[in-house]
Amino acid sequence: DTAVSQTPKYLVTQMGNDKSIKCEQNLGHDTMYWYKQDSKKFLKIMFSYNNKELIINETVPNRFSPKSPDKAHLNLHINSLELGDSAVYFCASSQDLRGPATPNYGYTFGSGTRLTVV
Amino acid sequence: QQQVKQSPQSLIVQKGGISIINCAYENTAFDYFPWYQQFPGKGPALLIAIRPDVSEKKEGRFTISFNKSAKQFSLHIMDSQPGDSATYFCAASAIGQAGTALIFGKGTTLSVSS
């Protein structure tokens, strides 16, 4: 079973469209994240949710709206897509930040969604 | 203050050689320093991590060296193999501090030639 799974893997869409990316984790983690990886491979945090509560919202356009129906799922909806939104979007999860860090603490990433806006 | 600076941007090493990647940080609240490995088309995968209470951690061929006073840490890959060719990211965060997440360096593309 895949620990953090994202769908779809590839997404090609026209400017102005609205699209969603779904993420699910089966690790029992309490915290989930969305990262954006640009063409130069730079990974930048976008959002973080802890037990369905938004705890990080970096300076991301409000066209991006995350939704967490439960602690195992974190979806990303993007309105009015622009060319500059083209990137690889990664979902990740980790154990509760407020708990002690165990020796195997770490973020588990999904395999990414490559979004291409044309 | 939130940046993690990584160097070099790219690295070519011969098979059997030692690969060394360096990172520096500014935020003294950071207390968790992992390294991630990413292959093309895949997500980053945790390779090895260190907390600031130790100066070195070794797992197989991979070693993290940590210098708290200099605010620097590095990854050493001993006996580098062609299968190690990937992009490596250092990262840092303040575990337990609400509203924080891993901050990544810009990555190092490692090529190990056979």
Side-chain angles (χ1 to χ4, degrees):
Chain A
D1 276 348
T2 304
V4 179
S5 58
Q6 294 179 232
T7 54
K9 189 169 176 63
Y10 300 97
L11 191 50
V12 181
T13 187
Q14 290 190 327
M15 275 175 38
N17 283 352
D18 303 339
K19 290 293 178 186
S20 292
I21 306 172
K22 295 186 175 182
C23 179
E24 175 182 5
Q25 56 95 4
N26 62 5
L27 297 166
H29 288 164
D30 293 299
T31 307
M32 296 185 72
Y33 312 84
W34 279 111
Y35 277 82
K36 179 180 180 180
Q37 186 170 48
D38 62 22
S39 58
K40 295 184 179 178
K41 298 186 181 177
F42 181 50
L43 280 159
K44 184 172 166 56
I45 182 71
M46 299 174 68
F47 301 103
S48 171
Y49 269 76
N50 181 270
N51 273 320
K52 302 192 297 177
E53 179 187 352
L54 178 67
I55 57 173
I56 293 176
N57 182 350
E58 288 294 309
T59 50
V60 177
N62 57 16
R63 299 182 294 104
F64 290 78
S65 52
K67 282 189 174 51
S68 181
D70 55 61
K71 74 173 193 177
H73 295 83
L74 180 62
N75 304 322
L76 183 66
H77 188 77
I78 316 169
N79 290 326
S80 305
L81 278 154
E82 300 177 356
L83 292 176
D85 298 331
S86 296
V88 181
Y89 292 84
F90 285 101
C91 177
S93 71
S94 70
Q95 67 194 79
D96 194 333
L97 287 174
R98 292 164 295 179
T102 63
N104 60 350
Y105 173 85
Y107 286 28
T108 302
F109 282 81
S111 57
T113 296
R114 181 174 292 277
L115 172 65
T116 303
V117 183
V118 297
Chain B
Q1 244 216 340
Q2 287 286 60
Q3 281 188 335
V4 177
K5 294 182 179 178
Q6 183 172 346
S7 62
Q9 187 174 349
S10 62
L11 185 58
I12 300 174
V13 172
Q14 288 215 330
K15 180 181 174 181
I18 302 173
S19 304
I20 302 174
I21 305 170
N22 301 298
C23 281
Y25 64 98
E26 290 293 326
N27 190 343
T28 54
F30 288 156
D31 61 0
Y32 173 69
F33 305 91
W35 285 89
Y36 281 78
Q37 180 188 56
Q38 185 180 26
F39 293 105
K42 304 290 185 184
L46 179 63
L47 194 60
I48 186 172
I50 198 167
R51 303 295 302 275
D53 52 345
V54 295
S55 60
E56 187 175 280
K57 182 174 181 180
K58 183 176 180 179
E59 289 183 2
R61 296 184 295 110
F62 301 92
T63 300
I64 298 180
S65 297
F66 182 76
N67 186 329
K68 187 173 180 178
S69 60
K71 291 185 284 187
Q72 295 175 345
F73 58 110
S74 59
L75 176 69
H76 290 63
I77 306 174
M78 310 300 288
D79 187 26
S80 298
Q81 298 297 312
D84 297 331
S85 297
T87 301
Y88 292 81
F89 294 93
C90 62
S93 72
I95 291 181
Q97 193 173 89
T100 64
L102 275 181
I103 305 298
F104 283 85
K106 293 195 172 182
T108 296
T109 301
L110 171 64
S111 297
V112 181
S113 60
S114 52

